[in-house]
């Protein structure tokens, strides 16, 4: 196996608010030359780095909005998020949980801070990924997977140096509980200071890491807290080392390799399909969802 080199390490871009509840650094698309295709099938990565929200009677978040053609994956590191969609999917995810929503042919949904978290206030830290769907699944039925932290499979590393929590895909034969449409590996890796792990993915799999806690190096190159490390496609294996106690989100996926036609919350293969999406949306095909916060 060849070494997979670091392509670039980037610090978080200036944050912006999504609704009033998500203060995100948008790593993908478009900043730092990371257009949607670069990390295909991961076409969007929004990162709410640790941010303290004051107590609020009115839960902050994003009101009812549509999606079609892909999946939204929300990983809660701190704080709690409530979700409801027009297909009856929904629930609350707490620290360590993941919600995996397949919008596919179309849903309306809303995403808010959970009520109790809102009232108390506190530190919020979260990742939202958009995972693209191949043409043959863009019009599949919507689906919702509520994945609990306690249900994730973990591999404890040698010498208790850390653990690999497998959300999707597999690590050393241990499979993640998330079901995906295309091959994806998604891990949370905890490593103690000075410990390291070698990771390996097929060279064509687009691969990146986000430093959630602490500080790491990848093949010897330092990545600070909240940095994103884009790996090249020139090899398979690389070494992740904790420079401080660290938690790292690792994403690696086989590129779908189809044209991407994106417009706001819709991601299809052609702009004719985007135009059709507006027709379907305006006709009410995405269902109905009440804007009241429960
Ligand atoms: Mn959304």
């Amino acid at each position: 196996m060849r070494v997979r080199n670091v392509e670039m390490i980037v610090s978080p871009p200036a944050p912006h608010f999504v609704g009033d509840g998500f203060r995100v650094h948008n790593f993908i698309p478009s900043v730092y030359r990371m257009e949607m295709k670069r990390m295909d099938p991961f076409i969007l990565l929004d990162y709410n780095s640790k941010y303290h929200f004051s107590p609020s009677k009115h839960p902050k978040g994003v009101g009812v909005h549509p999606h079609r053609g892909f999946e939204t994956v929300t990983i809660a590191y701190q704080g709690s998020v409530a979700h409801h969609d027009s297909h009856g999917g929904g629930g609350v995810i707490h620290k360590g949980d993941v919600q995996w929503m397949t919008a596919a042919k179309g849903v309306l949904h809303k995403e808010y801070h959970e009520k109790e978290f809102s009232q108390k206030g506190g530190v919020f830290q979260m990742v939202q990924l958009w995972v693209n769907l191949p043409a043959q699944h863009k019009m599949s039925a919507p689906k919702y997977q509520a994945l609990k932290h306690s249900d994730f499979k973990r591999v404890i590393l040698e010498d208790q140096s850390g653990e690999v929590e497998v959300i999707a895909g597999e690590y050393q034969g241990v499979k993640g509980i998330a079901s995906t449409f295309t091959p994806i590996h998604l891990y949370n890796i905890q490593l103690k200071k000075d410990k390291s792990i070698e990771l390996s993915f097929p060279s064509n799999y687009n691969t990146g890491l986000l430093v959630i806690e602490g500080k790491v190096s990848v093949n010897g190159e330092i990545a600070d807290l909240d940095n994103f490390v884009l790996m090249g496609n020139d090899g398979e294996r690389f070494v992740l080392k904790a420079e401080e106690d660290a938690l790292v989100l690792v994403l690696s996926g086989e590129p779908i390799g189809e044209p991407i036609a994106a417009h706001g919350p819709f991601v299809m293969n052609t702009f004719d399909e985007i135009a059709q999406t507006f027709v379907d949306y305006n006709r009410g095909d995405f269902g109905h969802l009440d804007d009241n916060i429960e």
Side-chain angles (χ1 to χ4, degrees), residues 15-229:
H16 68 273
F17 269 87
V18 177
D20 61 359
F22 304 95
R23 179 186 177 271
V24 303
H25 309 280
N26 179 218
F27 280 101
I28 307 171
S30 294
V31 291
Y32 299 122
R33 310 188 306 277
M34 273 194 287
E35 70 282 10
M36 282 180 149
K37 271 198 103 55
R38 178 60 191 89
M39 275 293 287
D40 176 11
F42 309 102
I43 51 174
L44 178 141
L45 170 56
D46 269 352
Y47 175 45
N48 190 135
S49 59
K50 278 181 201 165
Y51 182 77
H52 186 273
F53 282 93
S54 311
S56 168
K57 276 186 194 157
H58 150 82
K60 295 182 155 86
V62 195
V64 174
H65 61 279
H67 290 297
R68 172 180 275 183
F70 59 96
E71 301 181 287
T72 66
V73 178
T74 306
I75 306 168
Y77 290 100
Q78 303 279 349
S80 304
V81 191
H83 164 101
H84 295 89
D85 70 46
S86 53
H87 285 263
V92 175
I93 60 164
H94 300 286
K95 181 183 166 96
D97 299 339
V98 174
Q99 58 183 29
W100 199 296
M101 185 194 74
T102 306
K105 73 177 179 186
V107 299
L108 303 176
H109 80 161
K110 53 187 177 182
E111 301 156 272
Y112 284 98
H113 293 185
E114 178 267 337
K115 208 170 158 187
E116 202 175 312
F117 174 81
S118 259
Q119 285 169 354
K120 281 192 196 159
V123 176
F124 192 79
Q125 186 184 22
M126 189 213 65
V127 165
Q128 186 168 87
L129 285 168
W130 287 8
V131 177
N132 207 4
L133 290 172
Q136 61 167 322
H137 293 299
K138 280 190 180 293
M139 295 300 279
S140 292
K143 188 168 87 172
Y144 182 81
Q145 301 174 72
L147 308 172
K148 292 283 171 202
H149 186 246
S150 52
D151 292 336
F152 288 127
K153 303 283 187 288
R154 294 175 179 81
V155 176
I156 306 297
L157 303 174
E158 259 176 56
D159 308 333
Q160 305 289 309
S161 60
E163 65 169 44
V164 178
E165 177 181 274
V166 187
I167 299 169
E170 70 168 281
Y171 176 75
Q172 292 190 346
V174 173
K175 289 191 165 66
I177 55 175
S179 84
T180 66
F181 287 82
T182 59
I184 283 167
H185 301 287
L186 196 60
Y187 312 148
N188 275 315
I189 299 186
Q190 274 184 30
L191 273 182
K192 293 198 176 120
K193 183 175 162 45
D194 295 329
K195 301 294 184 182
S196 57
I197 181 174
E198 184 172 279
L199 295 169
S200 178
F201 303 106
S203 59
N204 67 317
Y205 278 39
N206 289 323
T207 301
L209 303 88
L210 182 63
V211 185
I212 303 293
E213 295 281 355
K215 180 179 176 177
V216 300
S217 62
V218 182
N219 293 344
E221 295 187 44
I222 297 290
D224 287 312
L225 177 68
D226 298 336
N227 282 10
F228 183 82
V229 182

Side-chain angles (χ1 to χ4, degrees), residues 267-287:
V267 182
M268 302 301 287
N269 297 112
T270 69
F271 282 99
D272 281 352
E273 290 167 347
I274 293 287
Q276 184 60 47
T277 298
F278 277 97
V279 171
D280 296 348
Y281 171 60
N282 288 324
R283 195 167 54 200
D285 286 5
F286 286 38

